[in-house]
Amino acid sequence: TKKKNIVFLGSPQVAASVLDTLLAASSSPDSAFQVAAVVTQPPAAKNRGRKLLPSAVAQLALERGFPGDLIFTPERAGEESFLSDLKGVKPELCITAAYGNILPQRFLDIPPCGTVNIHPSLLPLYRGAAPVQRALQDGVAETGVSLAYTIRALDAGPVIACERFSVDECIKAPELLAILFNIGSKLLLDELPSVLDGSAKQKAKPQDDSKATLAPKMNSDESWLTFDEEAKVLHNKGWPGTRAKLQLMNQNGEPDVLDIKVISTNVSTSCDKVGDENEILFSGNSLLVPCSGSTWLEVLELQLPGKKVTTARDFWNGLRGQKLLKST
């Protein structure tokens, strides 16, 4: 029997891992489907605007020997030339994973089996662009991944299947994102037969919109830590690019502002050292920053502008006894 055409849409590294799973499964002789085209974001300038580099998905497709003329990179998914190319491929089904472009109705009307999205939350919770970061920020004990049909409303389509995942306090957003997309790609392979024969449409459960929560994209203002919150709240903000301003007292007793990236943290409810009200201390292998509610944020790794990531111990040794304060 003829294999059914699937088109995959995705862009970052987590989506590349899903594509890899699909390509491996489709190469099996008894596979019911084949990846007929890949759609991804156009090449973007990386490393401070030097040369244009393809997305992680495009890179993986090329490495796996996928034909370059079947990797589509439209600026927008509603472009006439792109929709015409997509129709030419005759997809039965489209699969999206962190694609990053809005899909218009004219796109959604093309594949007869619909478009299915891997979304890293337990829908209807955390609809939007940053479900993992927002869930961690809220300090959830559990999240998961959903396989849902795409409709025009954001992440609001019927859910085919979902899988739960327990969150421990130490996990960071990039790691959790990778785990959830990994689980999601296995869930997708399990459900593909029912999606392709149409029975998934019958069993998919409509979402309860009254229980929906939103997970908007993180903005740069949110990446700043202010230490007037409890340490747990700050620790839960641990997505890449979290920043803080510290004050380093120089030889003249005047403060120099240090703008640091906070790489890894823990929460402490006690401190074995004594310092001034805003003083940052060092104990074990951590900087201890006083926060509200008599809590302490332990900073284990940090990065100064233009420098490599360093341990708190190496950073502290480099201060040579200069006093470090939190910015007020």
Side-chain angles (χ1 to χ4, degrees), residues 12 17 42 53 60 62 77 83 96 110 135 146 190 200 216 242 253 260 266 276 290 311:
S17 69
L53 293 174
L60 179 113
L62 291 167
L83 290 174
T96 57
I110 293 171
S146 303
D190 289 345
T242 310
I260 66 161
N266 269 330
D276 297 338
T311 63

Side-chain angles (χ1 to χ4, degrees), residues 6-12 14-16 18-19 22 37-40 57 77 82 86 93-104 107-108 111 114-120 145-151 155 181 184-185 188 192 195:
I6 282 178
V7 170
F8 177 79
L9 300 90
S11 296
V14 286
V18 178
L19 175 59
L22 277 173
V38 169
V39 184
T40 189
V57 160
F82 165 63
L86 184 65
L93 169 71
C94 291
I95 292 164
T96 57
Y99 171 46
N101 261 344
I102 302 289
L103 301 176
F107 174 101
L108 297 175
T115 296
V116 169
N117 181 44
I118 298 175
H119 186 77
V145 60
S146 303
L147 202 59
Y149 283 107
T150 300
I151 60 173
D155 298 323
F181 273 103
S185 58
L188 174 66
L192 261 181
V195 174

Side-chain angles (χ1 to χ4, degrees), residues 17-326:
S17 69
V18 178
L19 175 59
D20 208 16
T21 302
L22 277 173
L23 289 172
S26 70
S27 66
S28 153
D30 54 356
S31 167
F33 70 91
Q34 61 187 5
V35 180
V38 169
V39 184
T40 189
Q41 295 275 19
K46 305 259 166 72
N47 306 332
R48 300 197 177 153
R50 287 202 280 279
K51 64 177 184 176
L52 293 176
L53 293 174
S55 74
V57 160
Q59 228 155 342
L60 179 113
L62 291 167
E63 281 165 16
R64 295 286 178 271
F66 199 81
D69 61 339
L70 290 172
I71 301 173
F72 304 136
T73 57
E75 290 283 345
R76 287 182 306 282
E79 289 172 15
E80 286 299 338
S81 60
F82 165 63
L83 290 174
S84 162
D85 286 341
L86 184 65
K87 282 178 188 157
V89 172
K90 296 190 168 56
E92 292 285 327
L93 169 71
C94 291
I95 292 164
T96 57
Y99 171 46
N101 261 344
I102 302 289
L103 301 176
Q105 193 60 47
R106 282 157 64 229
F107 174 101
L108 297 175
D109 290 340
I110 293 171
C113 292
T115 296
V116 169
N117 181 44
I118 298 175
H119 186 77
S121 81
L122 296 170
L123 289 170
L125 301 178
Y126 300 108
R127 293 175 178 176
V132 168
Q133 291 99 320
R134 296 295 180 189
L136 288 179
Q137 197 176 2
D138 291 346
V140 299
E142 182 184 65
T143 185
V145 60
S146 303
L147 202 59
Y149 283 107
T150 300
I151 60 173
R152 283 292 290 131
L154 180 70
D155 298 323
V159 175
I160 301 162
C162 64
E163 195 162 320
R164 296 173 179 276
F165 185 78
S166 297
V167 177
D168 71 46
E169 285 199 351
C170 300
I171 201 160
K172 291 276 183 244
E175 187 188 348
L176 180 56
L177 197 62
I179 289 168
L180 293 178
F181 273 103
N182 194 19
I183 296 170
S185 58
K186 293 185 176 73
L187 202 58
L188 174 66
L189 287 185
D190 289 345
E191 297 296 335
L192 261 181
S194 68
V195 174
L196 288 169
D197 71 18
S199 59
K201 278 203 167 130
Q202 269 59 60
K203 72 165 187 173
K205 292 183 173 64
Q207 292 184 41
D208 181 347
D209 289 340
S210 71
K211 294 195 168 119
T213 59
L214 295 181
K217 190 177 175 181
M218 314 303 300
N219 68 53
S220 56
D221 289 349
E222 290 180 277
S223 68
W224 289 98
L225 298 185
T226 54
F227 298 106
D228 51 4
E229 295 178 287
E230 287 204 6
K232 183 157 175 45
V233 174
L234 300 177
H235 172 71
N236 287 340
K237 271 191 170 188
W239 58 82
T242 310
R243 295 159 72 191
K245 286 191 189 300
L246 308 179
Q247 293 184 332
L248 184 61
M249 304 307 288
N250 63 25
Q251 265 73 20
N252 305 326
E254 295 162 345
D256 290 329
V257 175
L258 282 183
D259 178 353
I260 66 161
K261 262 191 188 175
V262 179
I263 305 299
S264 60
T265 58
N266 269 330
V267 178
S268 181
T269 48
S270 63
C271 176
D272 56 1
K273 300 279 173 75
V274 178
D276 297 338
E277 185 188 359
N278 292 318
E279 189 174 355
I280 295 171
L281 306 170
F282 183 81
S283 178
N285 288 310
S286 316
L287 295 178
L288 292 168
V289 186
C291 303
S292 78
S294 302
T295 61
W296 297 80
L297 185 70
E298 297 181 22
V299 177
L300 306 167
E301 293 177 302
L302 62 144
Q303 187 175 15
L304 292 165
K307 306 279 191 210
K308 289 184 174 168
V309 172
T310 181
T311 63
R313 176 175 290 283
D314 287 345
F315 170 74
W316 186 260
N317 290 342
L319 297 182
R320 302 184 193 287
Q322 288 172 278
K323 201 175 194 180
L324 193 63
L325 306 173
K326 64 180 186 179

